[in-house]
Amino acid sequence: MKWYVMVLSEMFLFVCFINQGLQNKIIFSIYGKIKEFNMKTGNVSEILIDQQSYIHCFDYDSNNEYIYFPRADKNDILRFRYPSEQVYMTETVTQARRPIGVAIDPVGNHVYWTERMAPEELKRCNFDGSNNTSILQNGQLYALTLDYRNRWLYYSIYPTNSAIRRSRLNGTETQTVVNVSTEQVTGLSIDYNGDRLFWLERKSGDVNSSNFDGTNVVKIVSTNATNENLGIHVHNSDIYCANGKRILLVTLSPRTKANVIYSDIEMIYGVLFYKEKGKYIPDTKIIYIYVVSQVHVPRA
């Protein structure tokens, strides 16, 4: 009779890298302060304090890693490096006359902004603040966003002849995109994922969307709050908006829904979504694979 012995052999050794996940953040402002909300951990920290101003929006220069923001009450545009392992410090980019909206052109290396103090201009300068230039005057300007792929500036006007308008980056070819009647469009954002323009209406709380040329206007959702809706930022069709003392996340797929992801004790003005770019150290796991084999042992 033949006899067999079952042998358990360690044959292979693998090292598996486990992705811990990236730390996506929301940068937002209350009066005089800029905060950071970690969407994964729920932690909130103060990045900048004692800004002595309302800060209505942000834009991010991802090439050089700077966040730009306007200080309406201090009449300037500032920036700070983000993220940073050092203490966050601001740099003055340029002086401005009650700036409200700000937008970055990563192709031309320019920062654009709207001014609410007469003569109420849309202006531009280089990233370092040089070459401060007036682009256009077109009523009482407020929110601002920039379609850098197609080279259009989108801006809102209120309270007189409230509308969303656009122009080329040099101020030419101005045209009305959407008439919004008596509404106040306080936030504008571009979604390249769906090639759409999004905006937030302060009075109604409606989040709306259209094609870049203003056609196919769609109401996405209502925040169910009046006169408290200010900042908006769209990233890959996820919509982040400031709704009073809350930050809402509006998702469009698989169905449209709005969820409160953060609540503060003070009014929130500007919001910016920031996605980390692979800055993590993975866990490691060692996996042993054992193979069972049969060994023939002849009978003595």
Side-chain angles (χ1 to χ4, degrees), residues 35-93:
K35 296 183 177 183
E36 175 193 80
F37 169 60
N38 188 314
M39 295 179 66
K40 181 178 180 181
T41 66
N43 293 336
V44 180
S45 58
E46 294 181 345
I47 292 178
L48 293 170
I49 62 174
D50 196 30
Q51 293 303 300
Q52 303 175 40
S53 177
Y54 293 101
I55 299 165
H56 291 271
C57 67
F58 306 95
D59 206 1
Y60 187 58
D61 170 18
S62 59
N63 294 332
N64 301 295
E65 297 189 326
Y66 277 101
I67 291 178
Y68 288 74
F69 66 95
R71 292 196 303 176
D73 302 312
K74 302 300 287 184
N75 297 315
D76 54 19
I77 309 289
L78 303 185
R79 71 178 184 179
F80 62 95
R81 188 171 293 281
Y82 186 88
S84 174
E85 296 180 357
Q86 309 298 322
V87 175
Y88 287 102
M89 301 289 291
T90 61
E91 304 173 13
T92 300
V93 177

Side-chain angles (χ1 to χ4, degrees), residues 105-288:
D105 175 16
V107 177
N109 294 329
H110 291 135
V111 53
Y112 291 79
W113 68 93
T114 56
E115 296 184 347
R116 290 288 284 180
M117 185 180 294
E120 296 170 321
E121 297 175 291
L122 195 162
K123 303 187 78 172
R124 177 187 73 197
C125 70
N126 297 332
F127 280 167
D128 63 2
S130 62
N131 195 24
N132 189 316
T133 305
S134 177
I135 300 300
L136 59 82
Q137 291 177 257
N138 197 181
Q140 296 170 295
L141 305 167
Y142 198 94
L144 180 67
T145 193
L146 191 149
D147 175 9
Y148 72 88
R149 292 183 182 177
N150 300 301
R151 315 308 285 161
W152 286 103
L153 286 164
Y154 290 83
Y155 56 94
S156 68
I157 300 172
Y158 85 83
T160 305
N161 299 320
S162 295
I164 298 171
R165 293 180 61 82
R166 71 177 181 177
S167 78
R168 292 299 183 182
L169 303 190
N170 61 1
T172 62
E173 300 183 43
T174 58
Q175 54 193 255
T176 297
V177 177
V178 179
N179 284 306
V180 292
S181 186
T182 60
E183 260 298 348
Q184 300 175 0
V185 173
T186 49
L188 288 165
S189 189
I190 296 289
D191 174 29
Y192 291 113
N193 193 48
D195 287 331
R196 302 278 290 179
L197 173 69
F198 287 79
W199 67 91
L200 180 63
E201 298 181 352
R202 180 176 185 176
K203 291 181 180 178
S204 66
D206 291 348
V207 176
N208 296 303
S209 172
S210 75
N211 294 330
F212 287 156
D213 62 0
T215 59
N216 189 24
V217 175
V218 177
K219 176 181 174 180
I220 304 299
V221 72
S222 177
T223 63
N224 296 317
T226 58
N227 296 315
E228 293 185 336
N229 308 282
L230 295 170
I232 185 172
H233 186 216
V234 183
H235 178 79
N236 289 342
S237 298
D238 286 337
I239 306 163
Y240 303 86
C241 49
N243 172 229
K245 298 177 181 180
R246 309 181 301 174
I247 297 176
L248 302 184
L249 168 58
V250 180
T251 54
L252 302 179
S253 179
R255 63 183 180 85
T256 301
K257 61 179 180 178
N259 293 318
V260 177
I261 59 173
Y262 174 77
S263 294
D264 204 280
I265 60 173
E266 297 189 53
M267 187 80 164
I268 298 172
Y269 294 91
V271 292
L272 173 73
F273 173 81
Y274 171 79
K275 183 178 181 66
E276 276 194 345
K277 301 174 183 178
K279 295 181 179 179
Y280 66 95
I281 300 175
D283 286 340
T284 58
K285 285 187 178 181
I286 298 176
I287 299 178
Y288 296 89

Side-chain angles (χ1 to χ4, degrees), residues 15-26:
V15 177
C16 245
F17 293 92
I18 310 300
N19 186 348
Q20 291 182 321
L22 301 178
Q23 304 289 308
N24 296 335
K25 313 285 181 64
I26 302 290

